[in-house]
Amino acid sequence: MGLSVWSASAAVVLLSGYVWQKFCKAQPPWSEEIAALGQPRKKRLSGTAVVCGGSISGTVTARLLADHFERVVVVDPEIESEKKTRIMQYNAGHLFLHLFAAGARRLWPNFDEEFKAAGGRVAPADTQLHFSGLPILTPWPDYDEGCFPDTIVTRRSTAQKVLSILLRQHPTAERVTLLPGTVRSVQPSSDMSSIQSVTVRKLDGTQEVLNDVALVADCTGATQGGVKWLNSAGYALPEDIRRTYNGNLRYVTICFFVPPELGATLPIPDHARKAAMIYAYGPHFDHGSTVLGFFRTDNDTYQVLVGDAGTEDGVLPKTASDLVPFLKTFNGYSPIPHWLIEAVDMLCKNADNTFDSIKIPTQSYIQYHRLPTKALPSNFVVVGDASLQLNPIHGQGFSKIILNAAALDSLLRSANPAINLPRDFAARYFKKNAAYTHGLWDATRLHDYGTSGCEPMVGETKDAGKLIRWFELKLVAAAIQDYEVASALWHARHLLAADRVLLAPTVLWKIFTARSPFYY
């Protein structure tokens, strides 16, 4: 009898473990929604969708809404300008995670063709990430040869130009109007249930009122204009709806213009040359706060990014000639490889370059999902940094746009074209987005609290997340040594898996039993 009970108990435990393992490693909920992007609907929704902001989030949103609405108007003061002076990091190189490329390909089937024509790179999404100098494994064994997820590598300026071209070329462009100007205010319906019109200040100083508004999408980025518009319209959002912390991140980007003959002689290992990034360095919490990225971007340009999230006293390079001496000061568990220093030295001596110094603004999160249904107009949504500004060093900002787009697209597909959007549409959109992206805010914020210069959110101290950072070090230690753990970490960071993948029993076992390399 006792043996039978033990056998039954063991079977239940094993079955429960098996079910939990399958659940943790299941596809994330947004996968199917991203696959549905770009599919035309049978009957479009009536009225005008107004997109406030024309950068990357605005361009993606405009393309998406053109599938759903009779008319889309994109309002931006630089919408017709080739150069965008209002976009921070405009000349900096960007690594777009595979999720962004996958979503963009759904919206624009010729995305790769146009991107390559503009000189952009498509490469395996291998970031060559090193933690305190120690390489984190990349899950190549998970994929057949030639099937590893790829991504695009480019400067922000090139990506913006390509997406603008694609928006104008797509068959839905006939329903998209580009309006140079700035949204000044929104006017609600008499019962405050929706936004009825939007007032735009055009470049010549005159105003234009957009009526018959079916949807307003705030894509104003760091400006986060929606809060001001809603408060001015009488919605009276609570003061604590916007949560902030200051990561005190400063970085410099050195862009080298490299003739092909010089690029061919750089002593870069073949595996790194083919990857999305040549080399990336993240610091251990106890060994500085300096980050490094080295990658080849578009049109024969190479970029070196060095940043610091420590105190303002931290010294970053001020010219390209300071770069090599600076790299030699890195003090991790493993030194910067000699070939990287040699390659950067060759670039500094033989290639023209530009030098940009940037101070990242405060990270912020407008938590619209906390508001009750009637506190928001039914036809108001926010995409990208206009709601959630993450530390850009983590590289998830543009993929967040695709998550927002997928959530919006899925809700619009269920909307009845015969009537206005339901009263709870905005509330459902923000709750759905929070389910997808709130974890990004928590994970990046609590990680950043481990740096010396970070100023925490009001009501928190830097002790918040101490257990999370301990687990992070255990996780990274295991990912340096074990492919299953490295795969879970890579897929979660690239948003190709939900965070729960890290809680799979076999992954947790390896995380907690791995011997840490972070001891001398």
Side-chain angles (χ1 to χ4, degrees), residues 97-129:
L97 302 185
H98 173 75
L99 193 79
F100 180 87
R105 287 164 179 159
R106 292 289 181 179
L107 294 170
W108 293 286
N110 60 330
F111 174 77
D112 281 19
E113 178 185 343
E114 287 293 334
F115 184 72
K116 290 177 182 178
R121 288 184 63 220
V122 176
D126 179 356
T127 57
Q128 291 291 302
L129 180 59

PDB file of all heavy atoms in Angstrom, residues 97-129:
ATOM      1  N   LEU A  97      16.046  43.787 -32.942  1.00  0.00           N
ATOM      2  CA  LEU A  97      15.885  42.366 -32.661  1.00  0.00           C
ATOM      3  C   LEU A  97      15.067  41.697 -33.766  1.00  0.00           C
ATOM      4  O   LEU A  97      14.355  42.347 -34.518  1.00  0.00           O
ATOM      5  CB  LEU A  97      15.202  42.174 -31.306  1.00  0.00           C
ATOM      6  CG  LEU A  97      15.906  42.784 -30.088  1.00  0.00           C
ATOM      7  CD1 LEU A  97      15.159  42.408 -28.814  1.00  0.00           C
ATOM      8  CD2 LEU A  97      17.363  42.354 -30.006  1.00  0.00           C
ATOM      9  N   HIS A  98      15.180  40.376 -33.835  1.00  0.00           N
ATOM     10  CA  HIS A  98      14.487  39.619 -34.888  1.00  0.00           C
ATOM     11  C   HIS A  98      12.989  39.907 -34.885  1.00  0.00           C
ATOM     12  O   HIS A  98      12.361  39.936 -35.953  1.00  0.00           O
ATOM     13  CB  HIS A  98      14.730  38.128 -34.701  1.00  0.00           C
ATOM     14  CG  HIS A  98      13.924  37.269 -35.619  1.00  0.00           C
ATOM     15  ND1 HIS A  98      14.217  37.131 -36.967  1.00  0.00           N
ATOM     16  CD2 HIS A  98      12.802  36.524 -35.397  1.00  0.00           C
ATOM     17  CE1 HIS A  98      13.333  36.338 -37.528  1.00  0.00           C
ATOM     18  NE2 HIS A  98      12.468  35.955 -36.604  1.00  0.00           N
ATOM     19  N   LEU A  99      12.405  40.141 -33.714  1.00  0.00           N
ATOM     20  CA  LEU A  99      10.970  40.373 -33.630  1.00  0.00           C
ATOM     21  C   LEU A  99      10.554  41.580 -34.462  1.00  0.00           C
ATOM     22  O   LEU A  99       9.499  41.567 -35.110  1.00  0.00           O
ATOM     23  CB  LEU A  99      10.558  40.577 -32.171  1.00  0.00           C
ATOM     24  CG  LEU A  99       9.056  40.526 -31.911  1.00  0.00           C
ATOM     25  CD1 LEU A  99       8.596  39.078 -31.866  1.00  0.00           C
ATOM     26  CD2 LEU A  99       8.706  41.219 -30.607  1.00  0.00           C
ATOM     27  N   PHE A 100      11.378  42.633 -34.458  1.00  0.00           N
ATOM     28  CA  PHE A 100      11.037  43.812 -35.262  1.00  0.00           C
ATOM     29  C   PHE A 100      11.084  43.464 -36.747  1.00  0.00           C
ATOM     30  O   PHE A 100      10.178  43.822 -37.510  1.00  0.00           O
ATOM     31  CB  PHE A 100      11.996  44.962 -34.973  1.00  0.00           C
ATOM     32  CG  PHE A 100      11.689  46.195 -35.783  1.00  0.00           C
ATOM     33  CD1 PHE A 100      10.762  47.126 -35.323  1.00  0.00           C
ATOM     34  CD2 PHE A 100      12.282  46.419 -37.018  1.00  0.00           C
ATOM     35  CE1 PHE A 100      10.440  48.243 -36.073  1.00  0.00           C
ATOM     36  CE2 PHE A 100      11.974  47.539 -37.785  1.00  0.00           C
ATOM     37  CZ  PHE A 100      11.042  48.453 -37.302  1.00  0.00           C
ATOM     38  N   ALA A 101      12.135  42.786 -37.163  1.00  0.00           N
ATOM     39  CA  ALA A 101      12.247  42.408 -38.572  1.00  0.00           C
ATOM     40  C   ALA A 101      11.084  41.510 -38.989  1.00  0.00           C
ATOM     41  O   ALA A 101      10.521  41.666 -40.079  1.00  0.00           O
ATOM     42  CB  ALA A 101      13.582  41.705 -38.823  1.00  0.00           C
ATOM     43  N   ALA A 102      10.692  40.583 -38.117  1.00  0.00           N
ATOM     44  CA  ALA A 102       9.582  39.673 -38.441  1.00  0.00           C
ATOM     45  C   ALA A 102       8.284  40.455 -38.617  1.00  0.00           C
ATOM     46  O   ALA A 102       7.512  40.201 -39.558  1.00  0.00           O
ATOM     47  CB  ALA A 102       9.424  38.634 -37.338  1.00  0.00           C
ATOM     48  N   GLY A 103       8.025  41.417 -37.741  1.00  0.00           N
ATOM     49  CA  GLY A 103       6.818  42.221 -37.862  1.00  0.00           C
ATOM     50  C   GLY A 103       6.836  43.114 -39.084  1.00  0.00           C
ATOM     51  O   GLY A 103       5.822  43.240 -39.796  1.00  0.00           O
ATOM     52  N   ALA A 104       7.992  43.740 -39.348  1.00  0.00           N
ATOM     53  CA  ALA A 104       8.108  44.619 -40.511  1.00  0.00           C
ATOM     54  C   ALA A 104       7.911  43.842 -41.808  1.00  0.00           C
ATOM     55  O   ALA A 104       7.311  44.346 -42.768  1.00  0.00           O
ATOM     56  CB  ALA A 104       9.468  45.307 -40.511  1.00  0.00           C
ATOM     57  N   ARG A 105       8.381  42.620 -41.859  1.00  0.00           N
ATOM     58  CA  ARG A 105       8.210  41.796 -43.066  1.00  0.00           C
ATOM     59  C   ARG A 105       6.744  41.447 -43.294  1.00  0.00           C
ATOM     60  O   ARG A 105       6.321  41.273 -44.442  1.00  0.00           O
ATOM     61  CB  ARG A 105       9.054  40.528 -42.937  1.00  0.00           C
ATOM     62  CG  ARG A 105      10.549  40.778 -43.101  1.00  0.00           C
ATOM     63  CD  ARG A 105      11.391  39.634 -42.590  1.00  0.00           C
ATOM     64  NE  ARG A 105      12.817  39.886 -42.785  1.00  0.00           N
ATOM     65  CZ  ARG A 105      13.776  39.294 -42.105  1.00  0.00           C
ATOM     66  NH1 ARG A 105      13.471  38.385 -41.175  1.00  0.00           N
ATOM     67  NH2 ARG A 105      15.052  39.595 -42.328  1.00  0.00           N
ATOM     68  N   ARG A 106       5.971  41.326 -42.232  1.00  0.00           N
ATOM     69  CA  ARG A 106       4.538  41.078 -42.379  1.00  0.00           C
ATOM     70  C   ARG A 106       3.830  42.306 -42.931  1.00  0.00           C
ATOM     71  O   ARG A 106       2.921  42.200 -43.765  1.00  0.00           O
ATOM     72  CB  ARG A 106       3.934  40.695 -41.021  1.00  0.00           C
ATOM     73  CG  ARG A 106       4.403  39.347 -40.494  1.00  0.00           C
ATOM     74  CD  ARG A 106       3.817  38.219 -41.295  1.00  0.00           C
ATOM     75  NE  ARG A 106       4.238  36.918 -40.778  1.00  0.00           N
ATOM     76  CZ  ARG A 106       3.840  35.762 -41.288  1.00  0.00           C
ATOM     77  NH1 ARG A 106       3.018  35.741 -42.313  1.00  0.00           N
ATOM     78  NH2 ARG A 106       4.273  34.625 -40.773  1.00  0.00           N
ATOM     79  N   LEU A 107       4.237  43.466 -42.465  1.00  0.00           N
ATOM     80  CA  LEU A 107       3.598  44.707 -42.912  1.00  0.00           C
ATOM     81  C   LEU A 107       4.037  45.103 -44.316  1.00  0.00           C
ATOM     82  O   LEU A 107       3.261  45.680 -45.085  1.00  0.00           O
ATOM     83  CB  LEU A 107       3.914  45.832 -41.926  1.00  0.00           C
ATOM     84  CG  LEU A 107       3.308  45.666 -40.523  1.00  0.00           C
ATOM     85  CD1 LEU A 107       3.890  46.705 -39.580  1.00  0.00           C
ATOM     86  CD2 LEU A 107       1.787  45.776 -40.576  1.00  0.00           C
ATOM     87  N   TRP A 108       5.303  44.814 -44.647  1.00  0.00           N
ATOM     88  CA  TRP A 108       5.856  45.159 -45.960  1.00  0.00           C
ATOM     89  C   TRP A 108       6.573  43.933 -46.528  1.00  0.00           C
ATOM     90  O   TRP A 108       7.724  43.651 -46.159  1.00  0.00           O
ATOM     91  CB  TRP A 108       6.856  46.312 -45.837  1.00  0.00           C
ATOM     92  CG  TRP A 108       6.265  47.624 -45.442  1.00  0.00           C
ATOM     93  CD1 TRP A 108       5.519  48.456 -46.233  1.00  0.00           C
ATOM     94  CD2 TRP A 108       6.371  48.277 -44.164  1.00  0.00           C
ATOM     95  NE1 TRP A 108       5.168  49.587 -45.534  1.00  0.00           N
ATOM     96  CE2 TRP A 108       5.674  49.512 -44.263  1.00  0.00           C
ATOM     97  CE3 TRP A 108       6.988  47.953 -42.961  1.00  0.00           C
ATOM     98  CZ2 TRP A 108       5.583  50.392 -43.195  1.00  0.00           C
ATOM     99  CZ3 TRP A 108       6.890  48.827 -41.898  1.00  0.00           C
ATOM    100  CH2 TRP A 108       6.194  50.031 -42.020  1.00  0.00           C
ATOM    101  N   PRO A 109       5.966  43.177 -47.397  1.00  0.00           N
ATOM    102  CA  PRO A 109       6.611  41.980 -47.940  1.00  0.00           C
ATOM    103  C   PRO A 109       7.953  42.259 -48.623  1.00  0.00           C
ATOM    104  O   PRO A 109       8.803  41.369 -48.701  1.00  0.00           O
ATOM    105  CB  PRO A 109       5.572  41.450 -48.943  1.00  0.00           C
ATOM    106  CG  PRO A 109       4.265  41.949 -48.422  1.00  0.00           C
ATOM    107  CD  PRO A 109       4.571  43.308 -47.840  1.00  0.00           C
ATOM    108  N   ASN A 110       8.155  43.491 -49.121  1.00  0.00           N
ATOM    109  CA  ASN A 110       9.412  43.829 -49.791  1.00  0.00           C
ATOM    110  C   ASN A 110      10.373  44.538 -48.842  1.00  0.00           C
ATOM    111  O   ASN A 110      11.281  45.256 -49.284  1.00  0.00           O
ATOM    112  CB  ASN A 110       9.151  44.711 -51.011  1.00  0.00           C
ATOM    113  CG  ASN A 110       8.467  46.030 -50.658  1.00  0.00           C
ATOM    114  OD1 ASN A 110       7.708  46.096 -49.694  1.00  0.00           O
ATOM    115  ND2 ASN A 110       8.716  47.063 -51.450  1.00  0.00           N
ATOM    116  N   PHE A 111      10.194  44.328 -47.542  1.00  0.00           N
ATOM    117  CA  PHE A 111      11.020  45.014 -46.551  1.00  0.00           C
ATOM    118  C   PHE A 111      12.506  44.734 -46.767  1.00  0.00           C
ATOM    119  O   PHE A 111      13.326  45.652 -46.821  1.00  0.00           O
ATOM    120  CB  PHE A 111      10.594  44.588 -45.144  1.00  0.00           C
ATOM    121  CG  PHE A 111      11.463  45.132 -44.046  1.00  0.00           C
ATOM    122  CD1 PHE A 111      11.340  46.444 -43.632  1.00  0.00           C
ATOM    123  CD2 PHE A 111      12.414  44.325 -43.431  1.00  0.00           C
ATOM    124  CE1 PHE A 111      12.145  46.948 -42.621  1.00  0.00           C
ATOM    125  CE2 PHE A 111      13.217  44.816 -42.423  1.00  0.00           C
ATOM    126  CZ  PHE A 111      13.085  46.125 -42.016  1.00  0.00           C
ATOM    127  N   ASP A 112      12.881  43.453 -46.879  1.00  0.00           N
ATOM    128  CA  ASP A 112      14.294  43.108 -47.037  1.00  0.00           C
ATOM    129  C   ASP A 112      14.874  43.709 -48.317  1.00  0.00           C
ATOM    130  O   ASP A 112      16.010  44.207 -48.327  1.00  0.00           O
ATOM    131  CB  ASP A 112      14.471  41.591 -47.062  1.00  0.00           C
ATOM    132  CG  ASP A 112      14.435  40.979 -45.666  1.00  0.00           C
ATOM    133  OD1 ASP A 112      13.931  41.649 -44.743  1.00  0.00           O
ATOM    134  OD2 ASP A 112      14.909  39.846 -45.501  1.00  0.00           O
ATOM    135  N   GLU A 113      14.110  43.659 -49.380  1.00  0.00           N
ATOM    136  CA  GLU A 113      14.580  44.179 -50.672  1.00  0.00           C
ATOM    137  C   GLU A 113      14.919  45.663 -50.567  1.00  0.00           C
ATOM    138  O   GLU A 113      15.991  46.101 -51.002  1.00  0.00           O
ATOM    139  CB  GLU A 113      13.510  43.948 -51.731  1.00  0.00           C
ATOM    140  CG  GLU A 113      13.857  44.483 -53.112  1.00  0.00           C
ATOM    141  CD  GLU A 113      12.700  44.316 -54.076  1.00  0.00           C
ATOM    142  OE1 GLU A 113      11.782  43.524 -53.785  1.00  0.00           O
ATOM    143  OE2 GLU A 113      12.711  44.997 -55.114  1.00  0.00           O
ATOM    144  N   GLU A 114      14.008  46.458 -50.004  1.00  0.00           N
ATOM    145  CA  GLU A 114      14.249  47.893 -49.877  1.00  0.00           C
ATOM    146  C   GLU A 114      15.375  48.177 -48.889  1.00  0.00           C
ATOM    147  O   GLU A 114      16.183  49.098 -49.092  1.00  0.00           O
ATOM    148  CB  GLU A 114      12.976  48.613 -49.423  1.00  0.00           C
ATOM    149  CG  GLU A 114      11.915  48.715 -50.491  1.00  0.00           C
ATOM    150  CD  GLU A 114      12.342  49.622 -51.637  1.00  0.00           C
ATOM    151  OE1 GLU A 114      13.173  50.525 -51.420  1.00  0.00           O
ATOM    152  OE2 GLU A 114      11.851  49.413 -52.756  1.00  0.00           O
ATOM    153  N   PHE A 115      15.419  47.405 -47.828  1.00  0.00           N
ATOM    154  CA  PHE A 115      16.429  47.633 -46.807  1.00  0.00           C
ATOM    155  C   PHE A 115      17.832  47.364 -47.359  1.00  0.00           C
ATOM    156  O   PHE A 115      18.756  48.153 -47.151  1.00  0.00           O
ATOM    157  CB  PHE A 115      16.137  46.744 -45.596  1.00  0.00           C
ATOM    158  CG  PHE A 115      17.064  46.975 -44.449  1.00  0.00           C
ATOM    159  CD1 PHE A 115      16.965  48.127 -43.689  1.00  0.00           C
ATOM    160  CD2 PHE A 115      18.034  46.049 -44.136  1.00  0.00           C
ATOM    161  CE1 PHE A 115      17.834  48.349 -42.628  1.00  0.00           C
ATOM    162  CE2 PHE A 115      18.902  46.255 -43.084  1.00  0.00           C
ATOM    163  CZ  PHE A 115      18.802  47.408 -42.323  1.00  0.00           C
ATOM    164  N   LYS A 116      17.980  46.275 -48.080  1.00  0.00           N
ATOM    165  CA  LYS A 116      19.288  45.971 -48.662  1.00  0.00           C
ATOM    166  C   LYS A 116      19.662  46.980 -49.734  1.00  0.00           C
ATOM    167  O   LYS A 116      20.837  47.343 -49.887  1.00  0.00           O
ATOM    168  CB  LYS A 116      19.279  44.558 -49.241  1.00  0.00           C
ATOM    169  CG  LYS A 116      19.224  43.456 -48.188  1.00  0.00           C
ATOM    170  CD  LYS A 116      19.145  42.074 -48.826  1.00  0.00           C
ATOM    171  CE  LYS A 116      19.047  40.980 -47.794  1.00  0.00           C
ATOM    172  NZ  LYS A 116      18.917  39.630 -48.408  1.00  0.00           N
ATOM    173  N   ALA A 117      18.670  47.455 -50.499  1.00  0.00           N
ATOM    174  CA  ALA A 117      18.936  48.464 -51.535  1.00  0.00           C
ATOM    175  C   ALA A 117      19.468  49.756 -50.920  1.00  0.00           C
ATOM    176  O   ALA A 117      20.216  50.501 -51.568  1.00  0.00           O
ATOM    177  CB  ALA A 117      17.667  48.739 -52.334  1.00  0.00           C
ATOM    178  N   ALA A 118      19.098  50.028 -49.669  1.00  0.00           N
ATOM    179  CA  ALA A 118      19.574  51.223 -48.973  1.00  0.00           C
ATOM    180  C   ALA A 118      20.916  50.997 -48.297  1.00  0.00           C
ATOM    181  O   ALA A 118      21.423  51.892 -47.613  1.00  0.00           O
ATOM    182  CB  ALA A 118      18.547  51.670 -47.945  1.00  0.00           C
ATOM    183  N   GLY A 119      21.495  49.805 -48.474  1.00  0.00           N
ATOM    184  CA  GLY A 119      22.807  49.514 -47.905  1.00  0.00           C
ATOM    185  C   GLY A 119      22.772  48.844 -46.554  1.00  0.00           C
ATOM    186  O   GLY A 119      23.818  48.696 -45.914  1.00  0.00           O
ATOM    187  N   GLY A 120      21.584  48.441 -46.091  1.00  0.00           N
ATOM    188  CA  GLY A 120      21.470  47.827 -44.774  1.00  0.00           C
ATOM    189  C   GLY A 120      21.960  46.392 -44.754  1.00  0.00           C
ATOM    190  O   GLY A 120      22.088  45.737 -45.787  1.00  0.00           O
ATOM    191  N   ARG A 121      22.240  45.904 -43.559  1.00  0.00           N
ATOM    192  CA  ARG A 121      22.714  44.535 -43.366  1.00  0.00           C
ATOM    193  C   ARG A 121      21.610  43.661 -42.783  1.00  0.00           C
ATOM    194  O   ARG A 121      20.878  44.083 -41.896  1.00  0.00           O
ATOM    195  CB  ARG A 121      23.889  44.493 -42.390  1.00  0.00           C
ATOM    196  CG  ARG A 121      25.204  45.031 -42.887  1.00  0.00           C
ATOM    197  CD  ARG A 121      26.269  44.814 -41.813  1.00  0.00           C
ATOM    198  NE  ARG A 121      26.469  43.397 -41.567  1.00  0.00           N
ATOM    199  CZ  ARG A 121      26.657  42.862 -40.345  1.00  0.00           C
ATOM    200  NH1 ARG A 121      26.627  43.619 -39.282  1.00  0.00           N
ATOM    201  NH2 ARG A 121      26.858  41.560 -40.205  1.00  0.00           N
ATOM    202  N   VAL A 122      21.505  42.451 -43.309  1.00  0.00           N
ATOM    203  CA  VAL A 122      20.685  41.413 -42.691  1.00  0.00           C
ATOM    204  C   VAL A 122      21.658  40.337 -42.217  1.00  0.00           C
ATOM    205  O   VAL A 122      22.461  39.833 -43.006  1.00  0.00           O
ATOM    206  CB  VAL A 122      19.665  40.827 -43.687  1.00  0.00           C
ATOM    207  CG1 VAL A 122      18.900  39.685 -43.033  1.00  0.00           C
ATOM    208  CG2 VAL A 122      18.710  41.906 -44.157  1.00  0.00           C
ATOM    209  N   ALA A 123      21.611  40.021 -40.926  1.00  0.00           N
ATOM    210  CA  ALA A 123      22.607  39.117 -40.355  1.00  0.00           C
ATOM    211  C   ALA A 123      21.962  38.254 -39.279  1.00  0.00           C
ATOM    212  O   ALA A 123      20.913  38.609 -38.730  1.00  0.00           O
ATOM    213  CB  ALA A 123      23.763  39.917 -39.763  1.00  0.00           C
ATOM    214  N   PRO A 124      22.569  37.105 -38.962  1.00  0.00           N
ATOM    215  CA  PRO A 124      22.052  36.296 -37.853  1.00  0.00           C
ATOM    216  C   PRO A 124      21.988  37.131 -36.576  1.00  0.00           C
ATOM    217  O   PRO A 124      22.897  37.925 -36.295  1.00  0.00           O
ATOM    218  CB  PRO A 124      23.079  35.164 -37.723  1.00  0.00           C
ATOM    219  CG  PRO A 124      23.728  35.085 -39.075  1.00  0.00           C
ATOM    220  CD  PRO A 124      23.758  36.488 -39.592  1.00  0.00           C
ATOM    221  N   ALA A 125      20.923  36.961 -35.799  1.00  0.00           N
ATOM    222  CA  ALA A 125      20.710  37.771 -34.597  1.00  0.00           C
ATOM    223  C   ALA A 125      21.570  37.285 -33.434  1.00  0.00           C
ATOM    224  O   ALA A 125      21.100  37.043 -32.322  1.00  0.00           O
ATOM    225  CB  ALA A 125      19.235  37.749 -34.215  1.00  0.00           C
ATOM    226  N   ASP A 126      22.843  37.164 -33.726  1.00  0.00           N
ATOM    227  CA  ASP A 126      23.843  36.773 -32.734  1.00  0.00           C
ATOM    228  C   ASP A 126      24.541  38.045 -32.280  1.00  0.00           C
ATOM    229  O   ASP A 126      25.241  38.694 -33.068  1.00  0.00           O
ATOM    230  CB  ASP A 126      24.834  35.793 -33.373  1.00  0.00           C
ATOM    231  CG  ASP A 126      25.928  35.346 -32.414  1.00  0.00           C
ATOM    232  OD1 ASP A 126      25.972  35.849 -31.274  1.00  0.00           O
ATOM    233  OD2 ASP A 126      26.750  34.500 -32.810  1.00  0.00           O
ATOM    234  N   THR A 127      24.346  38.419 -31.021  1.00  0.00           N
ATOM    235  CA  THR A 127      24.883  39.691 -30.530  1.00  0.00           C
ATOM    236  C   THR A 127      26.298  39.567 -29.967  1.00  0.00           C
ATOM    237  O   THR A 127      26.852  40.560 -29.496  1.00  0.00           O
ATOM    238  CB  THR A 127      23.967  40.277 -29.446  1.00  0.00           C
ATOM    239  OG1 THR A 127      23.813  39.321 -28.392  1.00  0.00           O
ATOM    240  CG2 THR A 127      22.598  40.618 -30.023  1.00  0.00           C
ATOM    241  N   GLN A 128      26.868  38.373 -29.982  1.00  0.00           N
ATOM    242  CA  GLN A 128      28.235  38.181 -29.471  1.00  0.00           C
ATOM    243  C   GLN A 128      28.382  38.818 -28.085  1.00  0.00           C
ATOM    244  O   GLN A 128      29.345  39.550 -27.802  1.00  0.00           O
ATOM    245  CB  GLN A 128      29.244  38.774 -30.450  1.00  0.00           C
ATOM    246  CG  GLN A 128      29.369  38.030 -31.772  1.00  0.00           C
ATOM    247  CD  GLN A 128      30.009  36.661 -31.586  1.00  0.00           C
ATOM    248  OE1 GLN A 128      31.128  36.538 -31.078  1.00  0.00           O
ATOM    249  NE2 GLN A 128      29.291  35.626 -31.996  1.00  0.00           N
ATOM    250  N   LEU A 129      27.414  38.544 -27.228  1.00  0.00           N
ATOM    251  CA  LEU A 129      27.362  39.187 -25.922  1.00  0.00           C
ATOM    252  C   LEU A 129      28.349  38.545 -24.949  1.00  0.00           C
ATOM    253  O   LEU A 129      28.406  37.326 -24.807  1.00  0.00           O
ATOM    254  CB  LEU A 129      25.941  39.097 -25.349  1.00  0.00           C
ATOM    255  CG  LEU A 129      25.715  39.727 -23.979  1.00  0.00           C
ATOM    256  CD1 LEU A 129      26.056  41.216 -23.997  1.00  0.00           C
ATOM    257  CD2 LEU A 129      24.269  39.511 -23.537  1.00  0.00           C
TER     258      LEU A 129
END
